[in-house]
Amino acid sequence: MDSQTSQPSQAPHSPPSPHTFQVDLRGLVDLLSHHLYSSPKVYLRELLQNAVDAITARRATEPDAPARVRLYAEGGALRVEDTGVGLTEADVHDLLATIGRSSKRAEGLQEVRSDFLGQFGIGRLACFVVAERIRVVSRSARTPGAPPVEWTASDDGSYTVRTLPDAERPEPGTTVHLVARAGCAEWLAPGRVAALARDFGSLLPYDVRVGDETVTDLPAPWDRPYPGPAARRVALARHCHDLFGFTPLDTIDLSVPLAGVRGVAYVLPSAVSPARRAGHRVHLKGMLLTERAEQLLPDWAFFVRCVLDTDSLRPTASREALYEDETLAGVREALGERIRAWLTGLAAGDPERLAAFLAVHHLGVKSLARHDREMLRTMLPWLPFETTDGRLSLEEFAQRHPVVHFTRTVEEYRQVAPIASAQGIGVVNGGYTYDSELVEALPSVRPGTVVAELDAETVTAHLDAVEPAEELALSGFLAAARARLDPLGCDVVLRAFHPLSVPALHLDDRDVRHEQARADAEERADDLWAGILGSLRGGAPRARLVLNHLNPLVRRISALPDPELIGTAAESLYGQALLMAQRPLRPADSALLNRAFIGLLEWATHGEDGRA
């Protein structure tokens, strides 16, 4: 066989043909307007940004070049002029007509790119959100002999380019013309344009005006010279009211030179929830980036609102939020340190202002102190806690009591506070947010302090026992009361305590409540779950109804001859003790209260009938 015919012939493979993506500009603009940008108003920020960046680019090679931005709004149209670097015809084709390509990446500008506000190459598309057509007339400062060039683009993706006579644009720079699309005329109205320009551009480093009205207001309020500290506080308070709508309790300087951050934090005059994330105003190189920078400060600093300018933080693609990176994390930590230093300074030198602050925002400081031992040590003499001695700091309370008792819930505190106070037991209500954690951390910053959680055993041990002979004489009464309350998982004990006006005290702890919840669930469960829950039964801790032998009502009840009536009275005392402790009632408790009330009514009316 011929070797040349023994091998099958193979046709050579042709290389794949390259293809390019087709961009539906209208669809892209719709995507930007509904998902990337929060509002059509960002179009003006993009126009200002491009103008400022163009001036920055020109001044990189011409330090003395004019730096002006002018906006003219009239009749549903807007014209924006700048004295920036301008464009040649080649630049127009290369930059304006290519989505995603930024002039800040152009050759010769890379070394100063960090000075620019925008770097994503999609900003000009924001203009299509409010206009169907964009017309740009530009003349390059880098190529003096190049003629002016006109670029006109429509939202259908088409554009035209033509050169113009020198008279159309004698000086370098760029002019952008917009005509409002249907339904968007309000965004190009003179008043709206002026308001947006002031909001976005008040801290820009160049001369920006809307018509004859100056937009920029430099230096920033926190950088201006003032006659004295009082005048500065007044001026910043006015700035806060104009910006955020409230007069601050105080102001905190936020200067972090290494991170290029300058600004001020305003302390809110009223308490807010720790879960609420405050929005802060952040300017990037003078341009307002966002009013809702939630991640700027640590979570514990929810009691301030900030406004600042930075040249180091990175924006997201929409330039309406901050990019979460190591730089932002470092700035957040540094700003937290500034606020912490302010608190420490108040504690050391201005206790009146600190007291006024803590009266409103003690929760925020407690949140910080539980993680920061130094802050806890600093704030210990000032942080207020609810105690049986009144509202005191932990330092003052610990000086009064050799053992600092505390409860973990507000309900437990309400149960024992009146009795503990009368017996000389000092108790801190640890049921509020962060309080029990701070009380438990007290020995770490105050060595030698004894801290103990208050339980039913401790309270009962501090109540005076009744003479054995007297208790023996009341054994029948106690047996009847115990028999009636035993199904509720409650023991009855007799003690003598003050105040005399309290007939009975209901005491339990977390173990008791856990056992009650388990028993209730077991009762409602099917056989399988009842068996599982039954296996979880512990040592069956029980609540206690402590009857006050010094109370006249308890003495009268103990003298009743009828065991049934004693049981009804015991149920009434049990229900009243639950209500006094402000404990949530179980269905069995509610049924008991209703039964006891009806029983007492029947006894009272039966007595009336018998006398009749």
Side-chain angles (χ1 to χ4, degrees):
M1 182 179 291
D2 191 325
S3 62
Q4 291 183 346
T5 61
S6 63
Q7 301 295 329
S9 61
Q10 297 182 2
H13 290 287
S14 59
S17 302
H19 299 278
T20 58
F21 286 102
Q22 301 299 311
V23 177
D24 180 354
L25 190 57
R26 284 178 177 163
L28 184 56
V29 170
D30 181 71
L31 180 67
L32 294 178
S33 61
H34 289 95
H35 300 283
L36 183 63
Y37 296 127
S38 62
S39 165
K41 69 180 183 180
V42 298
Y43 87 92
L44 193 68
R45 183 195 61 200
E46 301 297 341
L47 288 173
L48 285 176
Q49 176 177 283
N50 287 338
V52 169
D53 284 343
I55 294 173
T56 300
R58 184 176 180 184
R59 284 202 157 187
T61 55
E62 298 180 54
D64 296 329
R68 298 188 304 271
V69 181
R70 298 291 182 264
L71 297 89
Y72 304 95
E74 185 178 3
L78 176 65
R79 185 172 85 254
V80 181
E81 300 178 353
D82 68 66
T83 58
V85 70
L87 301 170
T88 63
E89 183 176 358
D91 293 334
V92 165
H93 286 287
D94 190 39
L95 301 174
L96 296 187
T98 305
I99 297 172
R101 177 171 297 176
S102 171
S103 62
K104 272 66 80 175
R105 299 188 183 96
E107 184 179 356
L109 299 184
Q110 190 67 32
E111 65 275 10
V112 293
R113 185 181 168 195
S114 62
D115 294 331
F116 296 112
L117 301 173
Q119 300 177 6
F120 294 95
I122 60 174
R124 73 185 75 92
L125 293 182
C127 295
F128 283 124
V129 174
V130 297
E132 292 180 334
R133 209 170 42 177
I134 305 173
R135 177 171 171 257
V136 177
V137 177
S138 185
R139 184 164 192 164
S140 175
R142 294 185 179 275
T143 312
V149 61
E150 177 191 69
W151 177 78
T152 304
S154 300
D155 63 358
D156 62 2
S158 64
Y159 70 92
T160 61
V161 178
R162 65 184 181 123
T163 58
L164 301 176
D166 289 348
E168 290 286 335
R169 180 80 201 194
E171 300 296 330
T174 299
T175 302
V176 179
H177 301 264
L178 301 182
V179 177
R181 66 166 61 244
C184 292
E186 61 172 307
W187 293 105
L188 272 64
R192 177 64 68 89
V193 169
L196 292 177
R198 285 193 300 270
D199 199 35
F200 285 122
S202 62
L203 300 184
L204 289 174
Y206 304 133
D207 178 14
V208 181
R209 302 187 187 189
V210 177
D212 296 328
E213 179 185 348
T214 300
V215 168
T216 50
D217 187 19
L218 295 176
W222 51 85
D223 286 330
R224 296 172 190 170
Y226 295 98
R232 187 174 191 272
R233 278 197 298 269
V234 170
L236 290 177
R238 188 182 305 113
H239 175 250
C240 175
H241 190 274
D242 293 341
L243 207 59
F244 296 123
F246 65 86
T247 300
L249 279 178
D250 206 348
T251 58
I252 308 169
D253 282 318
L254 300 178
S255 175
V256 187
L258 291 178
V261 171
R262 285 283 300 159
V264 65
Y266 294 117
V267 181
L268 294 167
S270 56
V272 294
S273 167
R276 177 185 172 188
R277 299 297 296 271
H280 308 289
R281 287 177 64 95
V282 176
H283 296 255
L284 179 60
K285 301 179 181 70
M287 179 73 73
L288 178 65
L289 180 71
T290 179
E291 300 174 281
R292 302 184 300 275
E294 296 181 351
Q295 71 273 46
L296 185 66
L297 294 181
D299 290 343
W300 56 261
F302 56 81
F303 49 83
V304 298
R305 294 283 298 277
C306 297
V307 54
L308 55 83
D309 188 28
T310 176
D311 58 18
S312 64
L313 299 179
R314 290 174 57 195
T316 58
S318 67
R319 288 187 288 278
E320 294 185 284
L322 296 171
Y323 185 78
E324 186 68 50
D325 58 9
E326 292 183 359
T327 302
L328 179 56
V331 167
R332 181 164 50 237
E333 182 178 353
L335 295 180
E337 286 295 330
R338 295 297 183 275
I339 297 175
R340 183 186 284 106
W342 169 78
L343 284 171
T344 305
L346 287 187
D350 201 338
E352 290 186 3
R353 284 171 66 198
L354 178 63
F357 166 75
L358 290 178
V360 179
H361 295 298
H362 57 274
L363 200 57
V365 179
K366 286 180 177 181
S367 174
L368 171 60
R370 69 195 178 112
H371 295 303
D372 190 320
R373 185 170 299 177
E374 188 59 36
M375 182 55 62
L376 177 61
R377 181 180 290 106
T378 301
M379 292 289 108
L380 196 60
W382 308 101
L383 286 173
F385 290 79
E386 182 180 356
T387 77
T388 48
D389 291 355
R391 200 162 182 80
L392 298 175
S393 71
L394 288 182
E395 174 68 29
E396 187 175 358
F397 188 80
Q399 290 174 0
R400 297 184 182 187
H401 298 278
V403 178
V404 178
H405 289 98
F406 73 98
T407 63
R408 292 194 182 275
T409 68
V410 175
E411 290 78 9
E412 290 175 349
Y413 179 80
R414 288 169 177 164
Q415 278 183 290
V416 303
I419 309 303
S421 179
Q423 310 309 311
I425 307 174
V427 184
V428 178
N429 184 357
Y432 296 115
T433 307
Y434 311 133
D435 282 9
S436 62
E437 296 176 68
L438 292 174
V439 176
E440 289 181 296
L442 186 56
S444 68
V445 297
R446 196 178 189 275
T449 303
V450 179
V451 173
E453 183 175 354
L454 189 68
D455 54 22
E457 292 287 348
T458 302
V459 176
T460 305
H462 278 78
L463 304 180
D464 294 335
V466 178
E467 290 292 333
E470 291 187 57
E471 187 165 359
L472 182 63
L474 297 176
S475 59
F477 158 71
L478 292 174
R482 286 166 180 157
R484 185 62 65 91
L485 297 183
D486 182 70
L488 296 172
C490 182
D491 291 331
V492 178
V493 297
L494 189 66
R495 292 290 186 272
F497 57 86
H498 293 273
L500 300 179
S501 58
V502 177
L505 176 66
H506 180 271
L507 294 177
D508 62 8
D509 52 30
R510 283 178 297 163
D511 291 337
V512 172
R513 289 193 292 277
H514 176 75
E515 174 60 22
Q516 288 177 338
R518 188 208 58 78
D520 291 343
E522 180 181 358
E523 185 177 341
R524 296 191 301 270
D526 57 27
D527 292 342
L528 174 62
W529 280 108
I532 295 174
L533 291 169
S535 68
L536 298 176
R537 183 184 299 113
R542 295 166 66 86
R544 295 180 182 181
L545 182 68
V546 184
L547 300 178
N548 188 359
H549 187 53
L550 301 180
N551 180 266
L553 176 61
V554 172
R555 286 178 173 273
R556 288 196 296 270
I557 293 174
S558 66
L560 292 172
D562 184 358
E564 185 67 23
L565 187 56
I566 290 175
T568 300
E571 289 180 334
S572 300
L573 290 174
Y574 173 83
Q576 188 263 355
L578 285 179
L579 294 175
M580 288 296 293
Q582 302 183 38
R583 292 292 309 279
L585 299 180
R586 299 173 296 164
D589 298 329
S590 299
L592 175 144
L593 280 172
N594 183 63
R595 184 171 64 247
F597 178 72
I598 297 298
L600 291 176
L601 282 180
E602 288 179 348
W603 175 81
T605 54
H606 176 75
E608 289 294 331
D609 292 342
R611 285 192 294 273

